[in-house]
Amino acid sequence: MRTEGNKIFYSWEDIQHACERIAEDLGDWRPDFIMPITRGGLIPGVMLSHIMGIKQVSPITIQTRDGSEGHVDPFWEIACATLRDTKVLVVDDIVDTGKTIELMLNYNPSDNIRFSAVTLNLDCDVADKVNFLTGYHIDKGSQPDLWIVYPWEN
C-alpha cells in the first residue's frame, strides 16, 4: 500500500493479503455461504470465496452513505429470520463509522453470522458488538480526513 497526502492506496496484493488473513482468522469456522455487501464488498467477497472454497455467494445491498437513513436489502431481513442454523460470512470493503453494521444488527442476526471487512477504523466501536474480522486497521481518530482507495476504484 502507498500513502499520498490523506489517501491510502491499497494494491491488489494488499487485498489478497487481507482476505487471506480474514480466512485464516476464521480458524475452523467455515461459512455455508458468503454475503458480500454491494458494492465495496463484492470483490473481497469473491476473493474470500475462492480462498475458502465456498461456492455459495449471495450479495446484499445495504446503503448508508451520503447522509441517508439507510436502506437494507429485504434479503437480509429474510436471511436473519430463516437462516438461524446457517453459517454466513458478511463481507465489506471498509467499516468506517459502523453505520452499516449497526443497521444490519437491527434485524437480530444469529450468532452464526460473522462480519468482516478489508479495513476497520479503530475509532469505530461496532466491531466489539459482533464476531468481526479484518485485514487492516486504520485510525481515523488521529486522521479524520483519511481516505482509503481500493484497486477497483482506480
Side-chain angles (χ1 to χ4, degrees):
M1 74 186 74
R2 75 181 199 285
T3 303
E4 290 180 20
N6 69 331
K7 293 182 179 178
I8 296 175
F9 292 84
Y10 285 148
S11 68
W12 286 108
E13 292 80 19
D14 295 328
I15 304 305
Q16 180 70 29
H17 173 75
C19 290
E20 288 170 352
R21 184 172 173 182
I22 290 167
E24 182 180 306
D25 288 349
L26 285 168
D28 292 335
W29 189 88
R30 302 282 298 168
D32 297 306
F33 68 91
I34 295 174
M35 255 188 197
I37 298 174
T38 62
R39 295 181 312 178
L42 288 173
I43 292 172
V46 169
M47 291 174 82
L48 276 161
S49 77
H50 284 281
I51 291 167
M52 300 176 72
I54 307 295
K55 295 184 182 202
Q56 299 296 324
V57 179
S58 300
I60 57 171
T61 302
I62 311 290
Q63 296 175 338
T64 58
R65 294 185 77 166
D66 305 321
S68 69
E69 289 183 25
H71 166 77
V72 177
D73 191 321
F75 183 64
W76 177 248
E77 185 175 1
I78 293 167
C80 288
T82 61
L83 300 177
R84 305 306 283 175
D85 297 324
T86 303
K87 294 179 182 175
V88 178
L89 178 63
V90 176
V91 182
D92 208 352
D93 57 350
I94 188 167
V95 173
D96 192 4
T97 64
K99 188 174 178 182
T100 299
I101 291 179
E102 290 283 357
L103 190 61
M104 295 174 81
L105 291 176
N106 289 336
Y107 292 87
N108 299 313
S110 78
D111 291 336
N112 286 328
I113 295 177
R114 304 267 171 102
F115 293 85
S116 66
V118 172
T119 309
L120 171 66
N121 176 10
L122 291 174
D123 204 36
C124 168
D125 64 354
V126 74
D128 296 334
K129 299 177 184 178
V130 295
N131 292 314
F132 193 85
L133 301 147
T134 189
Y136 297 106
H137 296 90
I138 58 171
D139 184 4
K140 289 188 82 171
S142 63
Q143 216 178 345
D145 64 339
L146 186 65
W147 192 259
I148 305 296
V149 181
Y150 295 94
W152 53 87
E153 297 175 328
N154 288 338

